[in-house]
Amino acid sequence: MPRPDLLLISNVPAPLRAALAERFTLHEGAPVPGIRAVVGGGMAKLDTALLEQLPDLEIVAIHGIGHDGIDTAALRARGIPLTLTPDVLTEDVADLAIALMLAVHRRIAANDALVRAGGWSAPLGRRASGRRIGIFGLGRIGHAIALRAAPFAGELLYTARSEKAVPWRFVPDIAALAETSDVLVLAAPGGSDTQNIVDAEILDRLGPDGVLVNIARGSLVDEDALVAALAEGRIAGAGLDVFAHEPQVPEALKAMNQVVLAPHQGSATEESRTEMRNLVLANLDAHFAGKPLLTPLG
């Protein structure tokens, strides 16, 4: 029996590629006739123009939770399911958010570079405990960040589409959240609703002692405004796992020792990537066996 044709629309980890190659005939680049499945990472793009070239498409499986590059309305109109890999990466992304926050306050990266270069005398860091920590977006990942931050936060605040049944203080919008927080952690989805939502005004509200942590999407932050705020001391520092034009990172950010940078590594642990791979494959296997999908987007 011939293997179904599958189109890769972005790079995926080598173990996932190998597993897909055992089940499907893989294609990359321009679509070919007969494509029945599409797989990509969380930054993958699948717009109307590409969908029109895939008349036989039956399922889209994303290796990640980001789907702001996917035309979900067009998929729904054609009855094509979209699957993600939620939950399995939540804990690791939340861990990284806390790690970035601590690394910025305690100058972990800068001090590491200093010692490796033969130095020893370092500027003072900042106390991380007792801070007012504001989380923008209290979905799965935001909630996991809050659980980790709550024991050492002076106060924990959050902004979401609606107030949740949680013990932390709800703040109705990001402007008020930034004004009230010492640390602003971004954990909201990308997309038009959040494009550049952290602009110069929000950064000024965060203030000269404030720290920005972004493990969500680079699109949430006006990157030029962030560079300016950091350079002018209008905020104290930033911990960034995501950027506006990945993998390009502004040279100005690279030169700032009050900034900690990571190459979009939120889910990059052996455990998460194994579970993500297994979930992508399980969704595809279920579809082609005529069984219910494990994690379709609702």
Side-chain angles (χ1 to χ4, degrees), residues 124-139:
L124 297 176
R126 293 168 177 262
R127 180 174 293 166
S129 58
R131 299 289 183 184
R132 294 171 301 177
I133 300 173
I135 301 173
F136 179 62
L138 206 72

Side-chain angles (χ1 to χ4, degrees), residues 213-250:
V213 173
N214 190 4
I215 48 77
R217 280 287 184 266
S219 61
L220 272 67
V221 178
D222 180 334
E223 211 158 66
D224 291 338
L226 175 60
V227 168
L230 287 162
E232 296 163 12
R234 297 189 347 257
I235 67 169
L240 308 171
D241 186 44
V242 289
F243 304 90
H245 305 290
E246 297 178 9
Q248 285 75 40
V249 177

